[in-house]
């Protein structure tokens, strides 16, 4: 069907009813996918980086559980600060993805 003038002014090419049903579904689905990706990234960090970092830190530097927990806490805090900073800067998605990739590879 043709869009009414009210629907056309939003510029999304969806009627009001379609927008309501599509957006609710899309919003929920996007949130679930983002949570899944974040979960997998954290799992990979814990499995890959921390599993190799902890024995080296204990052997080379003589660190105990408290030191390793502090490093884990600070890295989680840095991750939150970077996320909040990129959200506050309102960077385009591709720049956010590039920055996240650079941080994980760096």
């Amino acid at each position: 069907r043709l869009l009414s003038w009210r629907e056309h002014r939003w510029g999304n090419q969806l009627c009001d009813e379609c927008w309501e049903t599509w957006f609710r579904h899309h919003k929920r689905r996007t949130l679930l996918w983002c949570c899944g990706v974040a979960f997998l990234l954290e799992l990979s960090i814990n499995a890959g980086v921390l599993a190799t970092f902890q024995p080296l830190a204990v052997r080379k530097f003589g660190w105990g559980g408290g030191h390793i927990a502090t490093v884990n806490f600070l890295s989680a805090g840095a991750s939150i600060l970077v996320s909040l900073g990129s959200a506050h800067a309102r960077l385009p998605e591709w720049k956010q993805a590039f920055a996240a990739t650079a941080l994980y590879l760096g």
Side-chain angles (χ1 to χ4, degrees), residues 10-103:
W10 298 113
N12 58 21
Q13 305 303 320
L14 291 173
C15 66
D16 288 342
E17 182 181 337
C18 295
W19 172 259
E20 291 297 323
T21 57
W22 176 82
F23 187 70
R24 283 188 194 139
H25 176 70
H26 180 70
K27 181 173 60 172
R28 197 171 296 125
R29 195 173 195 184
T30 302
L31 178 64
L32 288 174
W33 276 107
C34 288
C35 288
V37 168
F39 170 76
L40 291 174
L41 285 172
E42 287 299 318
L43 184 66
S44 68
I45 288 292
N46 287 330
V49 175
L50 296 179
T52 57
F53 168 74
Q54 287 179 358
L56 290 173
V58 170
R59 248 185 277 127
K60 291 264 188 189
F61 305 116
W63 287 10
H67 293 103
I68 293 172
T70 302
V71 169
N72 290 343
F73 177 76
L74 292 175
S75 66
S79 175
I80 291 170
L81 289 176
V82 167
S83 296
L84 290 174
S86 67
H88 183 68
R90 297 185 187 270
L91 296 174
E93 289 85 9
W94 70 270
K95 286 185 179 179
Q96 290 181 23
F98 181 77
T101 303
L103 284 173

